[in-house]
Structures are given as structure tokens and as C-alpha cells.
Amino acid sequence: MNAADTAWIIVATALVLFMTLPGLALFYGGLVRARNVLSVFMQCFGIACLMSVLWLAFGYSIAFGTGTTGYWGGLGHMFLSGVDASTVRDGTTLPEVLFFAFQMTFAIITPALIVGAYVERIGFGFVMTFSGLWMLLCYAPVVHWVWGGGWLGEMGLLDFAGGTVVHINAGIAALVLALLIGPRIGFGKEPMPPHNMPMTLIGAALLWAGWFGFNVGSELAADGVAGAVMINTQIAAAAAVLGWLFIESLQKGKASLLGGVSGAISGLVAITPACAVVGPMGAIILGFVASIFAYWACTSLKKAIGYDDSLDVFGIHGVAGIVGALGLAILMSPTFGGVGFDEGVSMASQFVIQAKSVGVTIVWCAIATFVLYKIVNSVVGMRVSDESERTGLDTTSHGETAYHS
């Protein structure tokens, strides 16, 4: 074990947890209408607690167990069986209990991201039941495929901190659920503006700061690579903000705060898989390009298809995640200041590997999400009544209100 590495990952773990509580909760909470803000807080809060227990019970073992196949980690490490404070995680200088805790924060935020697709119309029971099953049966297997010695990692997929594992996974699940659930009452007919943009800005700022734990922490060491990852993360986010505001100004004549924070998240998403293999110039290009694609997805594509992904989880996390996963194969070239390719690997062959892995993740997540939705909806019930939706979930689901006159 290395004391410096251990100390840094303890901090990084707290930063990633901070991304969900309170970062994501505030970010999403400000974007919904005032009568639903507490319901969003409760969904993020409840998911964080449930995923912590389920990750200990089964999730970590499924993702990082020593299963004999490239598809499933097995159940040998249920409840951290065989792991104690003296166990060192293979390939790291960290105690495995700390590696478990760091990865637990990823398992918390990934299903919490999906909340943005169905806010304001889904019952709390469905949220908790679906999120728990989805983490165990969709997210954890993909983690094993990519980071746990599974087949996608062996194939050569590069995903440093979660482009496929976290963002494409969550984005595709959000799109599938938005299509299955249907739009909010009044969607497209009445205005549904964010009720508190200052709250959203605070949440976005916490997410941005926490992302250094997310990306830099994924180096699992306090070293030079971690420093480079920090620079790339910051530069990509900044370039994406500028890209989003630029195209928004061209199309609408004004640059909005909502556009700025949306651009920041899209840039952070895009750089996540690529932050250790591109250089600062590649980070600028990737962030800027990702923001343009995400803007298009959140406006033109969403309008063309007509789905109600309420807070644009697919448009930002799914689309920017795909851009990042594919774009790294180009931008890791030394021409753009990247680290270059392994021996025997070309830009074209790496791009094919990335594309295959993205495709597999999309198909797996779409099928798993569809099946779990059908099962949970038939048992628990998904959508609240029209009356509850009009009244607001704060009152009807939780018996509370965020604001009093």
C-alpha cells in the first residue's frame, strides 16, 4: 500500500459522493417545477442509500469479483467476503476496501443520473425498485466487462473513468424509459421552465468540482497522470461551455445560464473516457465538439422524435458520452498531443474497438432497461395518477412542500 495514493483516493471518494449528494440533487432540483423539487431530492437521496447497501451485498462482487468468465464477476465477494483492511487491490497500491468505496460512489451516481429522464411523473416505489435492479443487472455487468477483467477491456476498449460504463449506460436507459413512460401532462403545450436556476448553477458547480474526484481519482494514484487528467478535465469542460454558448447565441441570439451549465456537463461527460489519453489540445477539441452534438440532441433530435427526457439525460450524457468514447480514438494521436497508440494498434483499429464497445453497451442497456421496466411496472406500478402529477409529487408522494407562502 502507498500512503499518498490511499489519502488521495479517500478524498476522491468523498468528492464523487458529493457529486450526487448534494450536487446532482441540486442540479436536477432546480430544473424541475417548484412542486416537484423535494421529490427529486428524495429520489437522489434514496438511490444513494439503496445503492450503497446493494453494492456491498452483490454489486461489487458482480463487477469486480474473480469470476471465471469475461461477462460476470460471480458472487464470491458478497458483503466483501474475503476482503479486509489488509487486502491490496490487484494492480493498485490501495487497500481493496477503499477501492470498493470509490467504485461504490460510481454505482450511486449512475442510476441517479437516470432520474432526470422521468422526473415529475414517477412514483418513488418504482424509482427505488427499478434503480436497484438496474444497478445490479445492467450497470454492474458492464463494469465487469470494461474494468473488472471482462471481455470489452480485453478487446482493447479505452474507458478511463466511465464513458461507456456510466454515461452511455445512463443515457440509453434514460432514452428507453422516456419513450416507454411517455411525456409529462402538458409537455409541448404549456411552459415547463426551471423553477430555480441559482440552485441549478450551484449543483452544476458541485458536479464540476466533484468530477475531479471522478476522473482524476480513476488513476487510482497520486502521480503525473493524475495531474494531466485534472488539466484535461478542466479544459474540456471550459471549451464545452464556450461551444454551447456560441451555438446558442447563433440560434437564439442570447447565451443563457442554462446553456452554460448544460455545456459544462456535456464537456465533462465527453472527456471522462478520454482524459488520460488525450492532451490539452485534444481536450479542447473534444469538449467543443461534444457540446455541439449535445446541443443538437437536446433541441433538434428531441423535437424530431418527440420524447420527453425531462432533463436531457440522453442528450447530454448519452450523446456526449458517445462522442467522447469514439473521439478519443482520433484525439489520442500524437498529432493532437495525445499519448499515441499501443504497438500494433492504429487509429482506425482503435476506433473500431471503441465503436463496437459503444454498440454493445447501447444494445445491452436498452434490452436490460426494457425488460426491467416491464417487470417492475407490472409489480410496483410506475406512473402516478394524473391528479398527483398535476398537484405535484412533493405533496402526493412525500407529504411535504419545499416552499411556503
Side-chain angles (χ1 to χ4, degrees):
M1 296 183 194
N2 179 279
D5 295 344
T6 299
W8 159 234
I9 301 305
I10 289 172
V11 174
T13 299
L15 284 171
V16 183
L17 179 60
F18 209 57
M19 291 174 70
T20 304
L21 300 174
L24 186 67
L26 289 170
F27 182 69
Y28 280 174
L31 291 173
V32 299
R33 289 168 287 184
R35 62 180 182 262
N36 293 307
V37 58
L38 292 185
S39 71
V40 174
F41 288 174
M42 274 296 296
Q43 288 164 11
C44 291
F45 197 76
I47 285 172
C49 297
L50 180 61
M51 296 313 114
S52 298
V53 174
L54 292 179
W55 187 249
L56 172 69
F58 307 110
Y60 180 74
S61 188
I62 294 170
F64 292 103
T66 54
T68 57
T69 74
Y71 301 93
W72 180 258
L75 297 176
H77 285 325
M78 288 191 304
F79 295 96
L80 281 184
S81 174
V83 177
D84 58 35
S86 65
T87 307
V88 178
R89 174 67 188 176
D90 289 345
T92 77
T93 59
L94 305 174
E96 188 161 4
V97 289
L98 178 56
F99 179 78
F100 159 87
F102 181 64
Q103 290 296 333
M104 177 178 65
T105 60
F106 282 61
I108 286 170
I109 197 170
T110 306
L113 290 173
I114 305 171
V115 164
Y118 53 62
V119 290
E120 304 196 300
R121 60 198 187 277
I122 300 303
F124 187 65
F126 176 88
V127 172
M128 295 292 281
T129 306
F130 173 85
S131 297
L133 292 174
W134 186 89
M135 189 278 284
L136 291 175
L137 301 177
C138 184
Y139 171 79
V142 176
V143 174
H144 184 73
W145 300 351
V146 178
W147 294 334
W151 68 287
L152 290 182
E154 291 295 315
M155 187 171 70
L157 169 66
L158 297 177
D159 183 2
F160 186 74
T164 50
V165 171
V166 175
H167 298 293
I168 296 176
N169 235 354
I172 295 302
L175 177 61
V176 171
L177 288 175
L179 292 169
L180 291 171
I181 292 167
R184 291 165 289 178
I185 296 173
F187 176 71
K189 300 176 182 178
E190 59 187 59
M192 298 180 178
H195 91 281
N196 192 327
M197 276 306 302
M199 181 186 293
T200 292
L201 173 62
I202 293 169
L206 293 171
L207 283 168
W208 191 332
W211 226 288
F212 294 117
F214 200 89
N215 283 3
V216 183
S218 292
E219 170 62 3
L220 301 177
D223 58 17
V225 173
V229 168
M230 188 168 193
I231 293 172
N232 289 336
T233 300
Q234 176 70 16
I235 293 300
V241 172
L242 298 177
W244 193 295
L245 296 182
F246 172 73
I247 190 172
E248 187 178 51
S249 297
L250 289 179
Q251 288 210 336
K252 300 180 179 179
K254 296 178 181 178
S256 69
L257 177 58
L258 179 58
V261 297
S262 299
I265 302 303
S266 65
L268 291 164
V269 168
I271 197 63
T272 292
C275 51
V277 296
V278 302
M281 181 56 69
I284 291 175
I285 296 170
L286 190 59
F288 192 89
V289 171
S291 70
I292 304 302
F293 275 95
Y295 180 89
W296 166 78
C298 294
T299 54
S300 301
L301 180 63
K302 185 177 180 180
K303 185 178 294 184
I305 299 176
Y307 61 90
D308 183 14
D309 175 4
S310 308
L311 308 184
D312 292 312
V313 183
F314 171 71
I316 292 178
H317 294 273
V319 171
I322 291 170
V323 171
L326 299 179
L328 72 81
I330 300 169
L331 296 172
M332 67 183 290
S333 168
T335 303
F336 300 102
V339 300
F341 304 96
D342 292 338
E343 185 176 351
V345 178
S346 65
M347 182 186 295
S349 62
Q350 187 65 55
F351 187 88
V352 170
I353 292 170
Q354 298 298 119
K356 285 182 178 178
S357 301
V358 168
V360 166
T361 304
I362 290 172
V363 171
W364 166 254
C365 182
I367 293 173
T369 301
F370 178 83
V371 172
L372 288 174
Y373 163 84
K374 290 293 185 180
I375 293 172
V376 177
N377 187 41
S378 65
V379 175
V380 179
M382 168 203 61
R383 189 154 183 163
V384 300
S385 67
D386 289 357
E387 181 182 356
S388 294
E389 187 174 338
R390 289 190 179 95
T391 302
L393 301 186
D394 289 2
T395 301
T396 58
S397 292
H398 305 292
E400 300 172 299
T401 55
Y403 309 105
H404 300 275
S405 57

